[in-house]
Structure formats: structure tokens, C-alpha cells
């Protein structure tokens, strides 16, 4: 119905992620999905600096790196996320949804009055427990590991696919 479509259209989607994307082909793909999504929602992609990981880093060093990156994400999250924003953390041990389930989740959030969804993507070492606890839902795209730059492309495509499904528009199966 029209009212529900308006709620969904006013949705702000924020992708808060660690690191810059250096590869032009990833940047081009993200720009294309951002353009396509502009019909459906307001998309913001916010990058925070990543930490260099020394080769053969110890568990302690890796945890310190995750904590530093988490601090940067949390600082931006506090600035960017509206009160009541729904937060997904992309995590390998999160809940796996298919495309239709993700679209229903986005639609249900929009129609229940949530006006912002934030997706968190950690750095190459993943996210700290501290950051994962802040999320409303841990979301996994696969048990496989993907480069975090590629994850942005996959996430943007899935958000776009979700809106196509929500609006009853064709999408590739």
C-alpha cells in the first residue's frame, strides 16, 4: 500500500565500513548500485581508516587492531546513526538469510517505523566482540571468507535486490 511504500522510500541505509576501496572495478560496481538504489532509499557509505596488520601478528596484536577499528566505527556510528536505527553486523557466524528473507526484513523494519538501517563491515581481521555486541543482528552472507572490499559490492547488490523484491519488480534468481 502507498503508506508503506512511503515509509520504505524514506529509509536511510548506511554502510559503515573499515578501509578505502583502491580497486576501480569495485568502486565502479558500488557506484552503479548506489545509483540504482537512489530510486528506493538514501544510501550512505562511510569509511573509517583501517590498521595495517603486521605479518605473523600475534592474537594479542590482532585483537588490538580489531579494537582500534571498532573504536573508529563506534565513534562514527554514534555520529551517524539516528536513535532507533537498526544495526546489522556482517559476521561469518551470523544468521544466513536468502535474498527474499533479507528483503522481508528490510520491508518489516521500514513498515515498523525504523527509518535507518546500518550495515557494519569490519576490516580484514573481522570485528571485535565489543562491536558485534552493539548490533541488533549479526548477518552472514556465507561461511566463506570474502575480501571486505568485495563484501561492499555484494552487500550493495543484495540491498538493491531487496528493494526490487519489495516493489514486486523482476530480479535475477
Amino acid at each position: 500500500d502507498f503508506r508503506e511504500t512511503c515509509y520504505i522510500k524514506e529509509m536511510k541505509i548506511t554502510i559503515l565500513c573499515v578501509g578505502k576501496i583502491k580497486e576501480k572495478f569495485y568502486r565502479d560496481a558500488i557506484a552503479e548500485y548506489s545509483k540504482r538504489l537512489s530510486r528506493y532509499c538514501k544510501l550512505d557509505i562511510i569509511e573509517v581508516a583501517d590498521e595495517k596488520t603486521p605479518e605473523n601478528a600475534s592474537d594479542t596484536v590482532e585483537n588490538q587492531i580489531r579494537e582500534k577499528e571498532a573504536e573508529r566505527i563506534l565513534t562514527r556510528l554514534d555520529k551517524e546513526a539516528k536513535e532507533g536505527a537498526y544495526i546489522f553486523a556482517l559476521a561469518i557466524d551470523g544468521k544466513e538469510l536468502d535474498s527474499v528473507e533479507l528483503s522481508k526484513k528490510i520491508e518489516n523494519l521500514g513498515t515498523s517505523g525504523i527509518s535507518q538501517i546500518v550495515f557494519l563491515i569490519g576490516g580484514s581481521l573481522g570485528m571485535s566482540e565489543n562491536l558485534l555486541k552493539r548490533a541488533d543482528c549479526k548477518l552472514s552472507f556465507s561461511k566463506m571468507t570474502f575480501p571486505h572490499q568485495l563484501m561492499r559490492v555484494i552487500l550493495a547488490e543484495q540491498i538493491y535486490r531487496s528493494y526490487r523484491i519489495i516493489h514486486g519488480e523482476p530480479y535475477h534468481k
Side-chain angles (χ1 to χ4, degrees), residues 53-89:
T53 305
E55 277 205 39
N56 305 318
S58 67
D59 289 348
T60 306
V61 169
E62 286 189 358
N63 283 333
Q64 289 169 341
I65 289 170
R66 274 191 288 273
E67 287 302 328
K68 279 183 186 170
E69 291 174 345
E71 255 175 58
R72 291 180 187 136
I73 288 177
L74 288 167
T75 299
R76 288 306 296 267
L77 188 59
D78 290 339
K79 265 189 218 155
E80 305 292 337
K82 299 179 203 162
E83 179 124 358
Y86 191 89
I87 301 169
F88 284 100

Side-chain angles (χ1 to χ4, degrees), residues 96-131:
E96 285 189 34
L97 301 176
D98 65 28
S99 298
V100 172
E101 289 168 329
L102 180 61
S103 73
K104 281 186 169 58
K105 182 78 177 164
I106 290 172
E107 184 175 28
N108 290 341
L109 289 169
T111 56
S112 69
I114 301 287
S115 61
Q116 183 181 18
I117 297 173
V118 180
F119 290 91
L120 304 177
I121 303 176
S124 57
L125 298 175
M127 283 186 229
S128 73
E129 279 306 309
N130 195 20
L131 184 54

Side-chain angles (χ1 to χ4, degrees), residues 18-85:
V18 173
K20 294 218 174 298
I21 293 193
K22 295 162 188 71
E23 296 86 353
K24 184 181 180 329
F25 57 92
Y26 286 145
R27 286 196 314 266
D28 290 347
I30 291 165
E32 178 61 29
Y33 285 115
S34 296
K35 188 177 87 182
R36 291 180 186 190
L37 274 164
S38 66
R39 297 179 42 208
Y40 304 107
C41 64
K42 180 172 176 7
L43 177 70
D44 274 335
I45 298 175
I46 299 165
E47 298 173 331
V48 299
D50 57 348
E51 287 290 312
K52 297 287 174 256
T53 305
E55 277 205 39
N56 305 318
S58 67
D59 289 348
T60 306
V61 169
E62 286 189 358
N63 283 333
Q64 289 169 341
I65 289 170
R66 274 191 288 273
E67 287 302 328
K68 279 183 186 170
E69 291 174 345
E71 255 175 58
R72 291 180 187 136
I73 288 177
L74 288 167
T75 299
R76 288 306 296 267
L77 188 59
D78 290 339
K79 265 189 218 155
E80 305 292 337
K82 299 179 203 162
E83 179 124 358

